[in-house]
Amino acid sequence: MTNFNSFIGKVTSISDFPITQNDEHSGCYKLFTVENEQGDVVNLVVTPCTYFFNQNVVSVRDWVTGYYDANAPTIMIFPPQYRALIMVQMNRFQNVKVDYFDSDLLSRDKQLQLNIGRNTQILLSNGQPFTKNPANRDLIVAYSYSTR
């Protein structure tokens, strides 16, 4: 169970991020610099394992939410730098929540409870159908409407 934290902002730059001296993985790792509306800046390290929601290609000037593990070790540097686990390109017609959902399908922060209907699509990260109960798992949930 991952302790997801997020940063929302506009991508101001994307650059290659070398991880070895001989740069054998050149182009595989990227550094996304993201700035929020308050002017706070975060660098998100995007790896080949970073999951891009809906396989969207993110570009400079796109608004994104970058999710990272709040419990992962982090170097003390400014601006802060986190390894992005999930990147979501913002869409005003769709909400996305990344969290652990318990046996009642209630998110860890208790802000969203899922009601699975007949037409609810439940997919694996590779796009294939998931046929078991999604409870007690880390989930990426996309929805358009919610009730309070």
Side-chain angles (χ1 to χ4, degrees):
M1 174 170 38
T2 304
N3 183 14
F4 290 103
N5 207 351
S6 64
F7 188 83
I8 300 171
K10 182 169 59 172
V11 178
T12 59
S13 72
I14 300 172
S15 58
D16 286 336
F17 185 73
I19 60 164
T20 61
Q21 288 207 341
N22 62 3
D23 209 13
E24 63 202 42
H25 299 286
S26 179
C28 295
Y29 291 77
K30 301 287 183 184
L31 191 66
F32 282 53
T33 301
V34 180
E35 183 175 345
N36 68 12
E37 291 178 325
Q38 292 76 36
D40 299 323
V41 175
V42 163
N43 286 325
L44 296 170
V45 178
V46 173
T47 75
C49 296
T50 300
Y51 179 80
F52 278 78
F53 182 72
N54 282 342
Q55 297 183 346
N56 288 337
V57 175
V58 174
S59 303
V60 171
R61 292 187 295 283
D62 287 342
W63 281 83
V64 297
T65 303
Y67 293 90
Y68 57 92
D69 185 350
N71 293 336
T74 306
I75 60 173
M76 299 297 288
I77 191 171
F78 185 82
Q81 182 173 295
Y82 306 109
R83 185 169 78 76
L85 300 175
I86 301 164
M87 294 289 285
V88 177
Q89 188 177 38
M90 304 296 285
N91 176 341
R92 64 181 174 159
F93 302 109
Q94 184 176 56
N95 298 300
V96 176
K97 175 104 176 147
V98 176
D99 208 347
Y100 175 83
F101 287 80
D102 67 14
S103 60
D104 295 320
L105 294 175
L106 181 64
S107 63
R108 182 182 326 181
D109 66 4
K110 306 203 183 326
Q111 296 296 309
L112 184 65
Q113 184 166 20
L114 305 180
N115 296 313
I116 306 295
R118 278 183 293 187
N119 295 326
T120 302
Q121 284 189 332
I122 304 175
L123 304 173
L124 296 168
S125 61
N126 63 7
Q128 298 304 302
F130 180 75
T131 57
K132 301 293 182 182
N133 185 348
N136 298 312
R137 300 174 193 273
D138 291 331
L139 301 175
I140 303 171
V141 177
Y143 60 98
S144 55
Y145 301 105
S146 67
T147 57
R148 301 246 178 234

